Amino acid sequence: MISQESCPSHVGIIMDGNGRWAKNRGQIRSVGHKEGLTAAKAIVKAASDMGLKNLSLYVFSTENWKRTEDEISFLMVLIKSYLKKEYQFYKDNSIRVVHSGDLERLPSDIQKELSSVMEQTSHFKGLTVNLLINYGGQDEIVRAVNRHIHENPDTDLTVDELQSHLDNPDLPPVDLLIRTGGEKRISNFLIWQTAYAELYFSQKLWPDWSAEDLREAVDSFKNRDRRFGGVKK
Ligand code: IPE
Ligand code: IPE
Ligand code: MG
């Protein structure tokens, strides 16, 4: 367990590098995605063991529909099988699963599995895992604005009002944003929620990530001097 005081209350991870990991081994991209799923499971367990409260994982972006049909359908099958199989794991570790993204544009079997796992785990009080599937930060903000317009067409938006229409309004802001795979960009990940996030970039490709890497990232967060626009006392 890490002390709650210095602990990021919300960690976000852009899990990148599966394709390159496979390519480096002369394998097809789907092999990398499979290994990426194994890494994701290990990181969820590690986050839960460390006592983290909220973990957002970027699984499939609104831009990832640009990939080949083969790669997309492999990813969808992988996501579905993962959602189906892990209930016992969530129960044993008291993990609550939530989803961010546009559910309506996902295949109906994935919608069903997601709804069912969210309902089954909704009362668990340990780590909350937020799965970003068919997620884009810009898309989430547009959907939030549209919800506001439908509910209150005559009132101006405020920061709090927009926040209340996000996919998971109760999640705290992201404190620590991690990106693996060496790229230094946001790629439309939780752009509203990362407004004041500390950034951590890892050269390692996602399938090579382990509990130790997560610990290193969280340790580095503890040494950051966060000022939020103020002046250090
Ligand atoms: C991240 O790995 C997984 C998804 C985006 C679904 P990539 O598939 O982007 O792997 P690289 O970046 O091509 O190596
Ligand atoms: C971001 O990775 C999306 C996920 C990890 C799900 P990408 O590989 O899609 O991002 P770009 O294309 O490098 O920006
Ligand atoms: Mg990538």
Side-chain angles (χ1 to χ4, degrees):
M1 285 274 170
I2 40 182
S3 86
Q4 288 301 312
E5 194 186 317
S6 51
C7 185
S9 81
H10 187 175
V11 175
I13 310 185
I14 301 174
M15 308 181 291
D16 196 24
N18 295 350
R20 280 164 284 165
W21 187 92
K23 196 172 177 208
N24 291 345
R25 284 162 180 75
Q27 306 270 14
I28 53 170
R29 296 177 61 82
S30 51
V31 176
H33 293 314
K34 241 178 125 200
E35 281 300 310
L37 175 57
T38 305
K41 286 189 204 171
I43 294 302
V44 170
K45 178 78 171 77
S48 167
D49 291 347
M50 283 165 78
L52 292 183
K53 294 309 292 173
N54 301 285
L55 177 70
S56 285
L57 297 178
Y58 209 0
V59 177
F60 190 90
S61 77
T62 46
E63 286 70 39
N64 288 147
W65 297 107
K66 292 176 191 161
R67 299 190 178 196
T68 64
E69 222 173 281
D70 275 2
E71 183 167 352
I72 293 170
S73 57
F74 184 85
L75 282 166
M76 293 300 153
V77 169
L78 204 61
I79 291 167
K80 187 179 157 195
S81 72
Y82 168 72
L83 292 169
K84 243 182 142 76
K85 278 200 311 226
E86 298 303 318
Y87 175 69
Q88 194 58 42
F89 168 75
Y90 297 137
K91 189 168 176 234
D92 292 345
N93 294 282
S94 206
I95 292 170
R96 179 173 79 115
V97 178
V98 298
H99 168 250
S100 289
D102 189 349
L103 197 60
E104 281 166 27
R105 281 187 292 150
L106 278 167
S108 61
D109 52 350
I110 296 208
Q111 289 187 28
K112 243 184 264 158
E113 287 304 330
L114 260 175
S115 304
S116 136
V117 77
M118 287 193 290
E119 200 198 303
Q120 286 173 326
T121 64
S122 60
H123 56 292
F124 293 148
K125 299 275 185 280
L127 173 72
T128 292
V129 175
N130 178 25
L131 298 175
L132 277 62
I133 309 174
N134 190 23
Y135 179 86
Q138 293 175 336
D139 181 66
E140 181 183 28
I141 292 169
V142 169
R143 286 184 292 105
V145 171
N146 284 332
R147 283 179 197 134
H148 168 80
I149 293 171
H150 287 129
E151 286 174 24
N152 301 300
D154 300 325
T155 57
D156 284 350
L157 259 173
T158 61
V159 167
D160 287 347
E161 180 75 17
L162 195 143
Q163 168 73 31
S164 76
H165 290 294
L166 294 176
D167 291 344
N168 288 287
D170 300 335
L171 287 183
V174 173
D175 296 309
L176 173 63
L177 166 58
I178 297 168
R179 183 176 186 135
T180 68
E183 312 291 359
K184 293 186 176 60
R185 57 176 169 257
I186 306 292
S187 301
N188 210 5
F189 176 83
L190 295 174
I191 48 184
W192 176 273
Q193 299 86 338
T194 54
Y196 255 102
E198 296 295 324
L199 308 181
Y200 184 92
F201 298 103
S202 164
Q203 283 300 320
K204 271 195 191 175
L205 303 173
W206 177 249
D208 290 328
W209 248 57
S210 66
E212 194 44 44
D213 296 300
L214 179 65
R215 250 175 256 124
E216 261 177 44
V218 169
D219 278 346
S220 110
F221 172 84
K222 292 181 198 162
N223 298 322
R224 305 285 176 99
D225 178 18
R226 301 185 88 194
R227 293 189 290 283
F228 297 100
V231 177
K232 199 179 174 190
K233 291 204 183 94

